[in-house]
Amino acid sequence: MAGSRGNLGKLGKAGIGAGLLSLGLILSACQHGPPDPTPAPISSPATAPGAPVHFTAQGDIGVSTGARKVLDVVAGLKPHLNLTLGDFTYKAGIEQKFCDMVTGSLGADFPYQLLTGNHESDGHDGDIEKFVQCLPNKLPGVQGVYGTQWQADAPEQNPVVRFIMVSPGIDFRDGQPLDYSKDSERWRWTADAIDEAKSQKIPWTVVGMHVPCLSIGNYGCPAGHEFTNMLIEKKVDLVLSGHDHVYQRTHQLGVGGQCPELVPASFSAGCLTDTDSTMAQGSGTVFATIGVGGVGLYNVNADDPEAGYFASSSGKNRNPALGTLHVTATAAELAARFVPAEGYTFSDSFTLQRR
C-alpha cells in the first residue's frame, strides 16, 4: 500500500492474475484432511456479470488453533471472497506467519480482503502496511486505500453488491483516529459511495468497519453515533464489524417517525423496523459483529441497555462459538447465516429481500 493514507483515489487492480479479473468466482473443491503444510491452492475461475456473490466475514483472528478452525470453515464454504474485519495477530513481527497461515488454508490467489483493526492500525501489534504487502488486494476495481478505506463492486460488471470498508474510531500512527466526523472528507467519501451504489441501482450495500457502535459485549460506540446514524439514514442494508469478541446481530433498525435518531447506551422500540428473521430491504439496517475469528471470546451482557436491539448473540457466557458469517447476495435476496467452527453448535440466520 504505497502512498499517503489520505489519498482516496483509485488503487486499480492490485497484482492479480487474469483468472481473477472478474469477482464472480466459483471455487473448486478444497479437500481438508490431516494438516498439510502445503495444501493445494483453491482455483478461482470466473463467472458471468450479475451472478450471485458468496462472501464470508469475520474479525479478531490471531494465530492459533481457533483461527485455523475458522479458516477451515471458510475454505469449506468456498466463498468468492472473505472480508477480514481487523485485528489479525495481536503480536508485532509475525505478519508473514499470519499471511502464511491464511494462504496455506485458502491458497495464494484467494481474495482475503483486509480492513485494519486497532491492533495493527498504529503498528503496536502488527503493521497494516506489512499485512497488505503479504495479503494484497485481489479484487478488480478497488477504489480508496486498500486496508484502511476502500470500496469495490461485486462482480465488477453488473454488480449485485457494493462493499464499503471504512476505519472510524481507531488510532493510527500519530495516535489519532481518522476523521469521520460529520461532513468531513471521509464522511463524505462514505456517504458518496453509498449514494452512488443506489443511483447505479446496485441491489445491496454492505459497509464494513472494525469497531461497532451498538454492542452487548465489552465496548461502547467507538464508531461514533453520528456516523452510525448516517448509515441508517442512508438505508445501508448490512453493517459488519469486529472488535468485540462476540457474535451479535441486531434486528432491522431505522430512524424517522418514532425514532428521530438512534442513541447509544439506550433503547427505543421506535427504532425497530422489523424483528423477525425475514426482512424487507429499505425498512432499515442490520448490524452484525463477527469478532469470533479465532481469539478468546468476551461475555455478552443481557442487561445492557441496548439488548433490545439484538436478535441473536453468542459469547463466552452464552452459546460460545468461533466461526464466520456466510452471506449470499443475489439480485433479489441477501441471505446470511453464522457458520460455527468445528466443536461449536451456535447458529443464526437472517434474510433481506428486495421489494
Side-chain angles (χ1 to χ4, degrees):
M1 184 173 98
S4 168
R5 293 187 185 276
N7 176 15
L8 301 182
K10 284 193 175 183
L11 288 184
K13 300 174 182 177
I16 58 175
L20 285 172
L21 293 182
S22 169
L23 172 67
L25 307 171
I26 298 177
L27 303 183
S28 64
C30 178
Q31 301 296 324
H32 285 278
D36 181 349
T38 56
I42 301 172
S43 63
S44 305
T47 61
V53 174
H54 304 265
F55 66 93
T56 47
Q58 72 295 127
D60 307 274
I61 298 156
V63 181
S64 66
T65 299
R68 292 182 178 89
K69 284 185 175 181
V70 175
L71 288 170
D72 284 346
V73 174
V74 172
L77 291 168
K78 303 179 179 65
H80 300 142
L81 73 150
N82 186 83
L83 298 177
T84 314
L85 300 167
D87 286 0
F88 306 142
T89 58
Y90 295 84
K91 183 178 180 180
I94 59 170
E95 292 89 349
Q96 189 63 54
K97 181 177 180 180
F98 178 85
C99 295
D100 291 345
M101 177 184 72
V102 170
T103 57
S105 293
L106 303 177
D109 292 330
F110 178 76
Y112 189 81
Q113 299 296 116
L114 300 182
L115 179 70
T116 188
N118 59 291
H119 279 272
E120 53 274 342
S121 59
D122 63 1
H124 76 279
D125 275 339
D127 185 343
I128 185 58
E129 300 284 353
K130 294 180 180 178
F131 286 112
V132 300
Q133 289 173 11
C134 58
L135 288 171
N137 170 53
K138 297 292 177 66
L139 302 184
V142 163
Q143 298 182 42
V145 179
Y146 177 65
T148 301
Q149 178 174 297
W150 58 272
Q151 68 178 72
D153 295 339
E156 186 181 18
Q157 302 298 321
N158 192 19
V160 297
V161 59
R162 169 163 291 184
F163 299 109
I164 303 168
M165 311 299 284
V166 292
S167 294
I170 59 177
D171 290 342
F172 284 77
R173 291 192 181 280
D174 57 1
Q176 298 296 322
L178 303 180
D179 184 6
Y180 284 89
S181 63
K182 188 173 183 178
D183 295 326
S184 65
E185 181 184 4
R186 293 179 183 276
W187 172 292
R188 293 194 304 271
W189 185 94
T190 308
D192 288 348
I194 298 167
D195 291 343
E196 183 185 64
K198 294 185 181 300
S199 69
Q200 294 179 0
K201 301 188 183 305
I202 298 173
W204 304 103
T205 304
V206 175
V207 170
M209 52 191 183
H210 177 62
V211 295
C213 178
L214 299 173
S215 182
I216 52 174
N218 278 11
Y219 298 110
C221 181
H225 76 278
E226 287 188 321
F227 188 80
T228 302
N229 275 281
M230 182 267 285
L231 301 179
I232 300 172
E233 289 166 3
K234 290 189 174 293
K235 300 184 184 297
V236 169
D237 298 301
L238 179 61
V239 178
L240 304 174
S241 63
H243 194 53
D244 248 327
H245 298 182
V246 299
Y247 174 82
Q248 52 188 5
R249 189 261 301 177
T250 69
H251 299 293
Q252 199 173 31
L253 307 180
V255 294
Q258 298 182 31
C259 178
E261 66 172 347
L262 191 143
V263 179
S266 65
F267 172 73
S268 171
C271 299
L272 299 172
T273 58
D274 199 327
T275 58
D276 61 27
S277 60
T278 301
M279 296 162 274
Q281 185 187 47
S283 298
T285 301
V286 176
F287 294 80
T289 300
I290 318 103
V292 291
V295 297
L297 301 175
Y298 296 161
N299 289 336
V300 293
N301 179 13
D303 297 324
D304 190 285
E306 297 170 353
Y309 291 130
F310 286 88
S312 181
S313 63
S314 165
K316 182 178 180 180
N317 62 334
R318 180 195 298 171
N319 301 317
L322 301 176
T324 186
L325 192 69
H326 179 225
V327 183
T328 300
T330 70
E333 183 177 86
L334 190 79
R337 62 188 179 103
F338 179 81
V339 183
E342 181 184 1
Y344 301 99
T345 59
F346 171 79
S347 63
D348 178 44
S349 63
F350 59 97
T351 302
L352 298 171
Q353 296 177 339
R354 297 188 77 197
R355 296 181 188 274

